[in-house]
Amino acid sequence: MYILVINAGASSLKFKIFKYSKKKNKTRSLLQGQIDEIKAKPAILEIENLEPNLIKKFELNLDARNLHLSAIKQLYTNNTFNQYSASIDYVVNLLPYTNNAQSDPIVRLHETTITELIKSNKGSMPIHQQQKINLDIAEYFIKLYPKCKHYGCFDDVFHQSIPSINKTLTPFENNHSHGIIFSSIAHKLNSLVDKKLSRGYWLIINLDKLTGICGIKKGKSLVTQNIVAKPKTINYIHEDINKLIQKNSSAFTDIDFYTLEIASKLTMCATLLGGLDGLVFTGKIGTEAPKIRQMILSKLEWACIMINRKANNRNKPIISHKTSLVKILQTLADEELEMVNLFINHKL
């Protein structure tokens, strides 16, 4: 069976087509694509066809009124899915949040369900706006593929295990949950460290435009925090830090404050967890900016959290020093694979 996964984020759009064999219980990716900066003019779409392995890039001029839906429509008119369109059995869309205590991360979508979700999506915060965008995309695919079964994957369900006292620290309206990212890393830990350590106390830091921290134990979310960096700070991060100090001291101050805020939030989260066995950096900045990782961790050396600078600069998977009391990793999450696995485990 073929499964199309759509992952629309605040500034990006990603998709993958998977082939799942129920008999072998195996999933493999056939086609994937992404737009990293959907507000760019033009937006750049990169498509990778994995069978055979071909990469193509396209420029898209998107409708500013609904960038994500405009991109989706161009994907269809450009025959991006053409090779697999007739084969798609299921479509799974990311939905930022559920309004109730639903513990199932997957919900069946049809026009009535979407109407109900739109009615319950009251508010003007970014997360409410994103919910509307993602519901518009889901509605479009229901009309495009009426014979397929359509599902929504809630991004916030992973955090339902957080104790009430910890939830009060991050009001819902300010929360960009990153639940699928954190869930993906929680499952990935089993392949990165031994089983006993993977079930210990871990902090996952998703360093991106919207930075999020999640504290887990035994793979369950227990605390989450968010840091919203200034847009100019994000731009500074991709520059050479040493050159930045020489030409723009205020820029370095902004970055130093950003990393200090992250370090302080990590300290608080570790306290709420009641211990710390490991740290994982993920996200575009988390996996591509070793200097930022070093600046954050240098502020935690008092806790014997020590970085191996050579491994860090080479972007090795394990970047902790042998004297560190805490294991430190850096790895990318696979959100679309996590979404398809959640769908398979809960609905097939």
Side-chain angles (χ1 to χ4, degrees), residues 227-292:
I227 300 105
V228 180
K230 298 174 183 177
K232 64 177 182 178
T233 304
I234 298 298
N235 293 333
Y236 293 149
I237 283 170
H238 298 290
E239 296 188 36
D240 185 296
I241 297 292
N242 295 320
K243 290 180 180 178
L244 201 60
I245 295 170
Q246 295 172 0
K247 71 177 183 180
N248 193 339
S249 59
S250 64
F252 181 77
T253 301
D254 285 345
I255 294 175
D256 195 42
F257 181 79
Y258 171 66
T259 57
L260 177 62
E261 186 177 10
I262 292 170
S264 65
K265 290 286 181 77
L266 288 171
T267 304
M268 184 185 72
C269 288
T271 302
L272 292 169
L273 272 180
L276 187 60
D277 297 304
L279 289 168
V280 187
F281 287 91
T282 191
K284 188 173 178 64
I285 296 171
T287 56
E288 295 180 6
K291 186 63 180 178
I292 299 302

Side-chain angles (χ1 to χ4, degrees), residues 21 39 42 55 71 73 88 95 115 120 126 149 185 220 241 270 279 301 312-313 318 324 329 343:
S21 170
K39 294 180 182 179
I55 298 176
K73 289 179 178 179
I88 294 172
L95 296 178
T115 301
S120 66
K149 292 182 179 178
I185 297 296
K220 291 187 176 182
I241 297 292
L279 289 168
E301 288 181 353
N312 181 54
N313 290 335
I318 299 174
S324 179
L329 313 174
F343 165 70

Side-chain angles (χ1 to χ4, degrees), residues 3 12 39 113 117 120 129 133 145 166 228 255 262 310 315 334:
I3 307 166
S12 65
K39 294 180 182 179
T113 312
L117 287 168
S120 66
Q129 296 166 10
I133 289 168
Y145 298 126
N166 291 352
V228 180
I255 294 175
I262 292 170
K310 193 172 182 179
N315 279 324
D334 191 332

